[in-house]
């Protein structure tokens, strides 16, 4: 079983770290994993994205031509990458920043006002955690506990006190996805 | 083996070097490999080593030359334009028979080009971008785990043969994260270096000199013969490659590094269409695994060999030299940071087999 | 009346203009995001503008134009 | 009462928006050079040389003929151009990594030759483009990605004062260091740029203006405090002033 | 044609360049080609041109880049280590599609090596010592007269294709004197250069830019495709070689430059033993004259092809690629400034034909 | 009455005869360095770096460990060595083409880093090895094979005063220019060499001695008038003296 | 008809120029010609030599493995190169500087005290002209007049006044060779 | 008596020693050629030598050795 995830947004929204959380968690669950960031011209002040592959077998190419899941944190990214989502795939968008969604009947679309929720919680970078909560709920590819452990491992100690809050938002994201 | 940790390719290179006993790093920043320097800036302090940010790539490779002459295990890393600037230095290292490890995380060229992944420096790496008859051992890892293992190995090879060993990666390998499991202890050849300039006791030895100039033709030819003999031994003993699914294949694909991973996926895609595709993945680009290519190609089932590269066709010459007319050799490549898609490659294969 | 014009779409919200305006009439519009994701600068009270062009002089993106009131000749 | 347009985007710049980070003073410097070319009427007879650095593509911004050079080699490229078009105005635009590290030999020798070109040397004490490595001009104690514990003289050596160094060369006839941290400083910077072009046109020799600049992104500061850091920290190491050619008078109409 | 005068190869290169309209020379001294600079130091003053002694080879090639961008016909010359230092510059010139002429009077390598004649820079010249997928046209004269003619031609080719054209000579060619007859007037392609940075009138054109960076993969791939298309045209139109005595030969010898002249003598020596030796002499090393090699090798009379070089075996790869298994390909080479003797070559041929 | 041997060939030199032209002062300088290493007892812990130039093979003459460097890169090579053997004495021996032309960036940065090496910079105002081309230090008016009409500031630029230029760098703690044109000057040169090694051993930073030297062959002068030309012509452009570190006191036993 | 000449001595004795005179003269007589100097390590303070080929046909390799004529101006050169002289060939030595000659019966050996004669004439560099006179006499490969013309063409104008004296020494060399 | 010894075979006849000897007792031997083709330096009147070692100090080829007369202690 192989699952591919593409997370995309503006630079600074934390999409690369979000991808790392997913990859770290998957590795903790004993799976093969690859994480590939965009590092190209788009970096400075532009957009950023990363491709993650989770698999039970060794991974071939880390480069995605199509993807099972797209998590999009802005419109340019959604517009650019939604054609890559496989039929039957999943698109999760940050509704606070994405104004128009692609017209695709063959995929599941989850829209969450993640940035607004994060901003309410006092930290814009929490948006990605909310979206990951939704991702986790929709795909059940990663256990909630593993995710928490991944946060613990990936975040520097001085941020560990934020983890409970982040997990709370994670759960909110999951719940939101469950409803929609 | 230790537990697997998720790390960036570039950082793994740095960590592997430190584990291999490298305590001297000289470099100049360039995308997409600068994380190696960033990592070294911290790690060398811990390890009691030295990381010097040189004023240029030219200075960096000459610092490597000096540190290697002084007996150290030494590393420099760069990307395409920076590697071009080091070519005189490479040739000196070859001429002076010094061990050194160089990493080239290739980006798109020519010129300033772009910073996306490419394999356009194959010729430069394998045929010698510098002047004169010399070779570097060139290793082409295809995963982060292999980046680790081959980096350690590079230091051993460099010391064993007193020559420059290059890791040829690309932006994808350098930037991606994958799990890597480090060994508890590295298999380090603890080689004595009686030739090194280390200061001396007159009672124990004469003063040493390290140089690459031989003013008399016969002396310079003797150096060249010595080098060629050494290269011959390496051709016999150090060739590495991987064969995947080659037995009774319809088509053999040859590809290295990142590009080979795309081709690995194509094997599955092709199988779904009933086409049997085998993959030969050179791990040493020099010495080139001629025998592996020939053994794969020279099966009656095989209709043709297809070389896939992130360039306009470079390794394909070595494939052609190996195949030597036995089978038709085709090429498919993309440049500038674009990657061939699995579909492109599959289409090419289908056009070859006519299915 | 002196006045300035800020090309909002090209403003990066760096705030340098804010910091030099002697009249303190420029702020970053926290509630607006331009299409590149920045909060652009805006003038709170244009009538106070003296057309000194300090803002335009320091704007790194050259997105401010300034008109100064002159006496009719 | 009438209104008069007192400030507008100079036609010396193309219409393309800069790709620089918010508040990065590269943009101010671009504008000053472009304005000066227009005001001196030399836009069509100027040829600029772009460096490798954050402004690698400033050829897209300056509305004159432009050549993009290899990292550090802009003075050599400019020499080639100037020797072909001796009556044109040729300038290089270079960062501190480009000019003071890899390009040291080229700038020293262009200056020593008295090459009739003008160099605008943008010193932001860091490698901006490649994400914040130490530059030759990085201050002692400054934290960068390659001096994570702060630059120490013992491990990483001392900053280079390029203007002072080049001022020892006879062919470097005009050298001034300016900043762009405020309106007054920006005006002085523009005067210096103008004087550099004047020196070139008068055939006097090599001219360089060193401009202290910010890199909010890699300094980890907001744009306004970055300007303050230039005034407070950088200027201690890099005092402003004229290091060569204070006696040279610019034509009155160009003052 | 004018009357024949006796001149040194190096001086002929310089004179030819001036005659071809080159008024800008940038260089850095290095043996065995410095006479070119000495000649230019005087001659450019007469001709109203410019000769700048750069601070290094790196600076020199970048001055060439600037002068070429500015629309001039421009020359730089050097020898092996200096040419290695210019590799980044070569790659930039390729990427920016600028015309330029470079002379490499090869000396023995690797490293500081020696100053005697060699051909060890063949790979560097033909496969690209710099980074990325690019090619230079490489011309290999074998006499002083040809040094003159090919130098003039190099400027025309460079302008026609907007690319670097290299003269690959060696110490023997540079240092020897032979008669040379100059034409009254040179066949100069007076090519317009609307792309050059020359200053402009806004009414007439937009501002020009010269660069080799393409930040988007598609743009950089487009550049690469454009370059490859151009190279394909050159492969079709500009290949040159000489065949001597090839018809019904027993053995075909392939050799270029000075080395080909030794082989020319061997034809006579072999004939005396009743062995029919033919010579294929590539004049363009890139594009390589595959067809000429194949047409010579693919005769039923031919038993084998022998490549002779002043190196450890470089052009022989291109010969093998051309022959593609049709006939066995052998190699004989000397290095370090030593020259293969006629006898050595003849012995090798005898061992091949078994006579 | 007894006789005492007061002068003999130093064991710091091998027995191999120098290949230099008659009267070339490279030989004097070699001897001074070799004698100093012996007198300071550091021959076995010194590592020298040979340049590309007439003395490309001085590794055959100095009796210590030696490394031959690429043209101009000796300071980088020495940096590599020193970072591996921080307690050894590392020196470079470089000509004016090697150090002041192609090697400009390397020497400036070794100095700026305060690299703990000593450089002996042999300035003979010409490229000796490659047969008399102009060097960066060639005097205005001097005829060379690449300035056949005499070096003109306009066409070929001005000479570079390397010591003065490097003295602007904080890491260059000791810089002195000496000559070897007479017995007194030779003794002073030796003192300077000693001080350079002392500065290195004391870990103070980068040290350089610039030594004005002759090239009778390429100057077209006999050896004795060549010495006079140094005194009369070269010293006008290159005055002797200490440019950095005059305050540094050498240990008394090393004076 | 092809003739090869090797001229060898110390640097500074003018062996390269001597070779150029021969080559220039041969070219004036309409022949094919090549001249190849040593430029290697031996240059500084060491030895120098040049190889000249004169031929009626186009010349193959300019590099000599053996030679018809050797003109040697010192002992090291004679020792090094005399084995290259073909059987039936010619060796001309400057007797003033060459103390021992090779024991070869199969070649003609001419010894002329050229340096002493030149020194008497007041210019050490005239030695080569004397040897060339002998060469001309022994091989009759180049006309005396052509040689004079070659001097005129090769020498800078300020040295033209020396030509009569040089031709006189040339004749002395020729005469000397005639006698021996 | 002070004295010097010149290794004639290694002397290049440059004359620097000649130019510095305060006693003017060194000359180049015009009538001798060493095997490398140089006229070596020689001392005309060794008894005049004061052992100052000026000659050795300036000799670029380090081919002079010097003995100085000392009082018996
Ligand atoms: C030969 C070479 N080496 C390194 C690089 C990578 N590189 C690009 S920009 C840069 C430094 C830029 O710093 P600076 O000149 O200070 O300009 P800034 O970005 O700060 O304006 C480097 C090292 C390159 N492109 N080419
Ligand atoms: C990269 C490179 N460029 C050029 C040369 C040729 N070269 C050898 S020595 C030299 C100059 C030597 O001059 P200098 O350093 O002044 O030493 P000197 O011979 O005068 O003592 C040059 C240009 C070379 N060997 N390598
Ligand atoms: S012109 Fe002056 S007063 Fe008006 S907004 Fe700008 S800075 Fe403020
Ligand atoms: S200075 Fe310019 S870019 Fe910055 S906030 Fe003001 S208008 Fe916007
Ligand atoms: S990285 Fe720094 S120098 Fe570069 S554009 Fe951003 S702020 Fe400016
Ligand atoms: S060429 Fe000049 S520097 Fe070189 S050895 Fe001779 S005299 Fe000395
Ligand atoms: S020691 Fe003094 S006096 Fe004696 S020969 Fe030498 S220089 Fe003359
Ligand atoms: S100084 Fe030395 S080499 Fe020169 S002449 Fe005197 S002894 Fe001979
Ligand atoms: Mg910078
Ligand atoms: Mg010199």
């Amino acid at each position: 079983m192989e699952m591919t995830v593409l997370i995309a947004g503006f630079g600074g929204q934390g999409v690369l770290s979000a991808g790392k959380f997913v990859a770290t968690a998957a590795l903790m669950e004993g799976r093969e994993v690859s994480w590939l960031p965009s590092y190209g011209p788009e970096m400075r002040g532009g957009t950023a994205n990363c491709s993650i592959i989770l698999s039970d077998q060794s991974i071939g190419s880390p480069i995605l031509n199509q993807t099972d899941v797209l998590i999009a944190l802005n419109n340019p990214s959604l517009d650019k990458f939604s054609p890559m989502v496989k039929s039957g795939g999943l698109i999760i968008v940050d509704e606070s920043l994405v104004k128009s969604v692609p017209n695709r009947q063959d995929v599941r679309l989850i829209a969450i006002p993640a940035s607004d929720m994060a901003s309410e919680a006092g930290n814009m970078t929490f948006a990605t955690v909310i979206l990951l909560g939704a991702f986790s709920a929709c795909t059940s590819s990663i256990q909630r506990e593993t995710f928490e452990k991944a946060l613990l491992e990936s975040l520097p100690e001085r941020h560990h006190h934020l983890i409970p809050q982040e997990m709370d938002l994670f759960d909110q994201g999951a719940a939101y996805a469950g409803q929609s | 083996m230790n537990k697997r940790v998720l790390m960036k390719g570039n950082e793994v290179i740095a960590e592997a070097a430190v584990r291999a006993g490298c305590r001297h790093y000289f470099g100049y920043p360039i995308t997409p490999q600068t994380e190696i320097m960033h990592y070294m800036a911290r790690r060398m302090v811990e390890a009691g080593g030295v990381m010097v940010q040189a004023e240029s790539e030219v200075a960096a490779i000459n610092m490597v030359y000096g540190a290697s002459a002084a007996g150290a295990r030494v590393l420099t890393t760069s990307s395409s334009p920076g590697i071009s600037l080091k070519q005189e230095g490479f040739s000196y290292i070859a001429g002076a028979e010094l061990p050194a490890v160089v990493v080239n995380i290739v980006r798109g060229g020519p010129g300033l080009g772009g910073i996306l992944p490419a394999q356009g420096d194959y010729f430069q790496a394998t045929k010698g971008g510098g002047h004169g008859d010399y070779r570097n051992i060139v290793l082409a890892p295809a995963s982060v785990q292999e980046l680790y293992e081959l980096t350690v190995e590079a230091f051993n090879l460099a010391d064993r043969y007193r020559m420059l060993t290059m890791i040829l990666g690309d932006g994808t390998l350098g930037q991606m994260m994958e799990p890597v499991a480090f060994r508890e202890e590295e298999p380090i050849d603890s080689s004595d270096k009686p030739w090194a300039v280390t200061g001396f006791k007159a009672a124990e030895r004469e003063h040493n000199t390290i140089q690459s100039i031989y003013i008399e033709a016969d002396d310079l030819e003797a150096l060249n013969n010595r080098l060629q003999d050494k290269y011959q031994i390496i051709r016999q003993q150090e060739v590495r490659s991987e064969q995947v699914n080659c037995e009774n294949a319809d088509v053999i694909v040859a590809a290295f590094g990142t590009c080979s991973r795309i081709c690995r996926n194509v094997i599955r895609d092709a199988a779904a269409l009933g086409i049997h595709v085998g993959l030969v993945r050179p791990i040493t680009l020099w010495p080139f695994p001629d025998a592996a290519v020939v053994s794969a190609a020279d099966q009656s089932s095989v209709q043709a060999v297809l070389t896939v590269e992130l360039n306009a066709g470079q390794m394909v010459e070595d494939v052609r030299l190996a195949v030597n007319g036995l089978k038709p050799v085709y090429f498919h490549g993309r440049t500038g940071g674009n990657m061939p898609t699995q579909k492109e490659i599959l289409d090419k294969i289908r056009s070859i087999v006519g299915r | 009346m002196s006045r300035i014009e800020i090309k909002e779409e090209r403003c990066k919200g760096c705030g340098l203009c804010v910091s030099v305006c002697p009249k303190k009439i420029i702020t970053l519009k926290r509630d607006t995001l331009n299409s590149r994701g920045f909060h652009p600068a805006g003038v709170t009270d244009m009538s106070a503008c003296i057309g000194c062009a300090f803002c335009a002089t320091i704007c790194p993106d050259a997105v401010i134009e300034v008109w100064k009131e002159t006496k009719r000749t | 009462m009438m209104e008069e347009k007192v400030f507008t985007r100079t036609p010396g710049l193309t219409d393309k928006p800069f790709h620089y980070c918010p508040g990065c003073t590269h943009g101010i410097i671009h504008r000053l050079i472009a304005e000066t070319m227009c005001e001196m009427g030399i836009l069509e007879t100027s040829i600029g040389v772009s460096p490798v650095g954050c402004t690698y593509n400033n050829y897209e911004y300056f509305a004159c003929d432009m050549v993009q050079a290899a990292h550090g080699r802009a003075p050599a490229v400019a020499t080639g151009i100037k020797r072909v078009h001796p009556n044109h105005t040729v300038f290089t635009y270079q960062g501190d990594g480009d000019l003071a590290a890899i390009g040291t030999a080229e700038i020293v020798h262009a200056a020593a030759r008295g090459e009739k070109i003008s160099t605008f040397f943008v010193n932001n004490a860091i490698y901006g483009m490649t994400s914040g490595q130490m530059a030759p001009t990085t201050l002692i104690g400054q934290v960068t990605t390659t001096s994570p514990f702060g630059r120490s003289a013992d491990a990483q050596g001392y900053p280079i004062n390029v203007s002072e160094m080049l001022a020892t060369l006879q062919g470097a006839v005009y050298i001034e260091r300016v900043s762009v941290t405020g309106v007054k400083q920006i005006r002085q910077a523009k005067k210096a740029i103008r004087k550099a072009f004047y020196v070139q046109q008068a055939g006097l020799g090599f001219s360089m203006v060193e401009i202290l600049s910010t890199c909010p992104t890699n300094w980890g500061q907001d744009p306004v405090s970055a300007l303050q850091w230039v005034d407070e920290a950088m200027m201690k190491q890099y005092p402003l002033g004229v290091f060569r050619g204070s006696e040279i008078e610019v034509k009155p109409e160009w003052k």
Side-chain angles (χ1 to χ4, degrees), chain A, chain B, chain C, chain D:
Chain A
M1 247 297 296
E2 187 167 294
M3 177 161 74
T4 60
V5 186
L6 180 63
I7 313 183
F10 283 129
Q13 285 181 306
V15 303
L16 300 190
S17 314
K20 282 188 209 174
F21 292 146
V22 174
T24 306
L27 177 62
M28 285 173 160
E29 295 189 352
R31 274 188 277 172
E32 295 301 324
V33 52
S34 74
W35 171 92
L36 179 68
S38 63
Y39 66 94
E42 63 270 34
M43 271 190 83
R44 173 145 308 123
T47 60
N49 71 70
C50 62
S51 310
I52 307 109
I53 304 179
L54 321 177
S55 178
D56 298 330
Q57 295 167 309
S58 91
I59 293 171
S61 168
I63 300 146
L64 304 185
N65 298 321
Q66 44 177 23
T67 185
D68 298 309
V69 182
L70 168 67
I71 304 178
L73 282 88
N74 67 16
N75 246 119
S77 299
L78 181 63
D79 299 345
K80 183 167 173 193
F81 296 117
S82 64
M84 279 173 61
V85 180
K86 290 181 195 162
S87 205
L90 169 69
I91 298 180
I92 303 174
V93 301
D94 182 340
E95 210 179 4
S96 322
L97 300 169
V98 168
K99 298 306 162 202
S100 63
V101 295
N103 185 9
R104 277 189 64 171
Q105 306 306 326
D106 61 336
V107 301
R108 180 165 175 210
L109 184 99
I110 310 269
I112 308 180
S115 284
D116 291 338
M117 289 161 73
S119 158
E120 231 160 81
N123 190 332
M124 287 294 284
T125 63
F126 288 167
T128 51
V129 181
I130 299 167
L131 297 168
L132 290 180
F135 162 73
S136 157
C138 297
T139 63
S140 62
S141 64
I142 290 171
Q143 303 298 312
R144 186 188 183 283
E145 307 79 75
T146 326
F147 200 85
E148 189 163 2
K149 271 200 270 170
L151 279 184
L152 204 67
E153 187 169 301
S154 310
L155 290 178
E157 199 126 4
R158 65 194 140 86
H159 290 155
H160 282 185
H161 68 280
L162 296 174
I163 293 179
Q165 195 187 0
E166 297 202 49
M167 288 315 294
D168 184 44
L169 288 163
F170 183 90
D171 294 337
Q172 287 182 35
Y176 207 105
Q179 291 151 25
S180 60
Chain B
M1 285 283 175
N2 278 318
K3 89 172 223 271
R4 305 201 306 163
V5 292
L6 197 64
M7 272 180 85
K8 218 174 190 189
N10 281 334
E11 297 184 345
V12 165
I13 292 169
E15 180 59 30
V18 173
R19 284 169 180 261
C22 169
R23 291 295 176 276
H24 291 85
Y25 174 93
F26 303 92
Y28 188 80
I30 185 167
T31 311
Q33 62 78 49
T34 315
E35 292 84 0
I36 302 176
M37 284 187 83
H38 299 179
Y39 192 91
M40 284 297 195
R42 294 178 178 278
R43 188 70 172 85
M44 280 301 192
V45 172
E46 276 171 42
V50 175
M51 120 81 186
V52 176
Q53 181 175 331
E55 58 271 30
S56 70
E57 290 87 354
V58 171
I61 192 66
N62 284 286
M63 290 175 185
V64 165
Y65 178 93
S68 175
R73 288 202 145 182
V74 52
L75 172 69
T76 187
T77 66
S78 189
S79 178
S80 309
I83 296 288
S84 290
L85 285 170
K86 291 179 199 272
Q87 294 302 329
E88 189 204 21
F90 287 7
S91 181
Y92 267 74
I93 286 171
E97 296 184 87
L98 292 175
V101 177
V102 175
V103 175
N104 181 2
I105 299 296
V106 183
R107 55 193 246 179
L112 190 47
I115 60 179
L116 294 170
Q119 298 179 328
D121 301 357
Y122 178 94
F123 273 149
Q124 186 197 51
T126 58
K127 307 288 170 185
H131 58 286
D133 288 287
Y134 71 92
R135 298 289 188 167
N136 302 321
I137 297 176
V138 183
L139 305 174
S143 69
V144 172
Q145 179 70 30
E146 213 177 34
L147 267 183
Y148 156 55
E149 285 164 15
L150 291 181
T151 299
V152 172
E153 185 59 14
F155 282 95
N156 288 338
L157 289 168
D159 275 358
R160 189 172 319 141
Y161 294 105
R162 287 183 61 179
M163 67 190 278
L164 196 155
T165 302
M166 179 185 275
I167 305 278
L168 196 77
D170 63 53
T172 301
L173 278 168
Q175 295 295 326
M176 75 188 285
M177 297 215 290
E178 272 187 330
V180 55
F182 293 107
R183 285 176 286 248
E184 279 304 332
E185 212 178 312
E186 301 305 330
I188 293 176
D189 294 3
S190 61
S191 41
D192 239 20
K193 299 184 176 177
W195 47 264
V197 292
T198 53
F200 64 108
K201 290 266 164 286
E204 289 164 16
R205 68 158 166 88
E206 293 269 287
H207 66 122
N208 278 341
T209 64
I210 299 287
Q211 35 73 249
S212 68
I213 184 162
Y214 293 90
I215 216 67
E216 298 292 343
D218 286 343
D219 296 339
L220 187 52
E221 188 162 48
L223 166 71
N224 272 293
N225 291 341
R226 198 159 73 237
L227 293 179
Q228 294 300 324
D229 290 348
K230 173 160 88 177
Y231 300 158
Q232 201 46 43
I233 293 173
I234 295 170
R235 280 197 190 91
Q236 280 154 17
Q237 303 191 342
E238 306 295 352
V239 179
R240 297 177 197 202
S241 64
E242 185 187 6
Q243 289 203 3
V244 184
N245 205 37
C246 285
E247 209 166 324
N248 298 324
D250 301 318
V251 170
I252 296 294
V253 171
F256 70 97
T258 298
C259 195
S260 72
R261 294 181 62 157
I262 304 174
C263 295
R264 212 178 267 268
N265 288 8
V266 172
I267 294 176
R268 290 192 308 229
D269 302 348
L273 296 173
I275 306 174
H276 183 160
V277 170
L279 170 68
V280 177
R281 175 172 77 91
I283 296 174
T284 51
L285 300 183
W286 193 90
F288 188 77
D290 299 293
V293 171
V294 172
S295 78
D298 199 13
Q299 305 178 87
S300 57
S301 63
V302 172
Q303 297 180 36
V305 178
L306 170 65
T307 308
V308 185
E309 300 177 69
L310 308 184
N311 60 38
Q314 301 194 11
M315 186 178 75
V316 64
E317 285 199 4
D318 282 329
V319 173
R320 288 213 170 93
L321 282 167
V323 173
N324 200 27
L326 280 175
K327 293 283 159 74
V329 176
Y330 297 90
F331 173 74
H332 181 71
R334 293 296 299 269
T335 62
N338 280 330
M339 293 275 167
T341 61
Q342 295 169 208
K343 178 162 182 318
E344 264 169 54
I345 300 170
L346 188 59
D347 287 349
K348 182 90 185 182
I349 291 171
R350 294 179 68 177
S351 81
I352 292 170
V353 298
R355 276 188 259 168
Chain C
M1 206 186 80
S2 295
R3 66 187 175 90
I4 70 167
E5 211 177 283
I6 300 172
K7 292 211 185 68
E8 288 199 7
E9 260 307 302
R10 297 174 69 141
C11 168
K12 292 184 187 140
C14 70
L16 294 193
C17 53
V18 176
S19 77
V20 295
C21 174
K23 293 294 158 188
K24 308 258 170 258
I25 53 177
I26 319 186
T27 51
L28 298 184
K29 302 204 228 165
R30 284 282 150 224
D31 49 352
T32 318
L33 265 187
N34 64 16
S35 69
R36 296 191 56 201
F38 297 119
H39 297 291
V43 177
T44 51
D45 175 12
M46 195 67 85
S47 66
C49 175
I50 56 172
C52 66
F54 283 12
C55 52
T57 301
I58 208 159
C59 174
D61 287 87
V63 302
I64 305 182
E65 295 192 305
V66 185
W67 287 261
K68 194 177 167 73
E69 189 178 78
T70 52
K71 307 266 170 298
R72 206 183 287 265
T73 44
Chain D
M1 300 292 259
M2 250 182 70
E3 60 173 32
E4 186 195 352
K5 198 164 190 181
V6 292
F7 200 103
T8 190
R9 192 176 166 96
T10 168
L13 292 174
T14 64
D15 201 43
K16 193 171 171 93
F18 297 146
H19 69 291
Y20 307 117
C21 306
C24 172
T25 45
H26 269 309
I28 303 179
I29 300 164
H30 284 25
R31 205 195 69 229
L32 296 180
I33 295 169
E35 282 175 359
T36 307
M37 287 192 290
C38 289
E39 289 161 19
M40 291 175 77
I42 57 172
L43 186 70
E44 295 182 344
T45 52
S46 290
I47 303 172
V49 183
S50 315
V52 177
C54 278
T55 74
Y56 73 89
N57 65 337
N58 66 25
Y59 55 81
E60 297 184 303
Y61 306 138
F62 290 113
C64 58
D65 275 3
M66 295 290 299
V67 179
Q68 201 288 327
H71 192 32
R73 317 307 174 189
V77 173
T79 297
I81 298 168
K82 184 73 182 190
R83 296 297 181 123
V84 175
H85 299 301
N87 299 320
H88 283 20
T89 303
V90 177
F91 69 92
T92 74
Y93 186 113
Q94 303 179 257
D96 44 359
D98 194 76
L99 181 143
I102 192 168
T104 308
E106 285 73 16
I107 197 68
V108 165
H109 284 270
R113 278 195 307 271
E115 207 64 56
K116 290 161 196 74
I117 60 173
S118 303
T119 289
F120 304 114
F121 167 39
V122 180
N123 178 358
N124 59 8
I126 207 148
Y127 287 21
M129 170 85 158
T130 42
S131 66
Q133 294 82 15
M134 184 182 75
T137 54
T138 290
L139 304 185
I140 295 292
Q142 190 180 335
V143 171
T144 70
T145 46
T146 51
S147 58
F149 311 107
R151 179 178 194 158
S152 96
D154 202 54
Q156 285 107 1
Y158 294 91
I160 296 181
N161 281 34
V162 174
S163 288
E164 287 86 336
M165 184 175 83
L166 296 186
T168 63
L169 300 168
Q170 235 175 310
V173 298
Y174 170 56
I175 298 198
E176 179 165 359
R177 184 183 289 124
V178 299
S179 85
V180 288
T181 52
V183 172
K184 217 179 87 208
Q185 290 86 335
I186 293 172
R187 294 201 176 130
Q188 179 56 30
K190 186 156 167 190
K191 274 194 199 144
I193 291 167
R194 190 179 279 267
K195 183 163 169 179
F197 280 141
Y198 166 73
V199 162
Q200 178 176 170
Q201 295 200 330
L204 303 180
F206 175 82
S207 51
M208 182 179 89
V209 182
E210 173 176 347
I211 302 144
L212 302 184
S213 188
T214 64
C215 179
T217 302
N218 286 300
W219 295 356
Q221 299 185 15
D222 70 70
V224 175
S225 20
L227 292 181
Q228 278 160 14
W229 195 76
V230 172
D231 285 339
E232 285 156 21
M234 278 185 81
M235 280 195 204
K236 278 203 199 96
Q237 176 73 33
Y238 305 113
L240 306 189
V242 181
F243 296 90
R244 275 297 288 274
S246 55
E247 74 293 352
I248 299 170
E249 292 282 344
V250 172
K251 278 202 249 173
E253 66 270 31
W254 282 354
K255 273 226 173 123

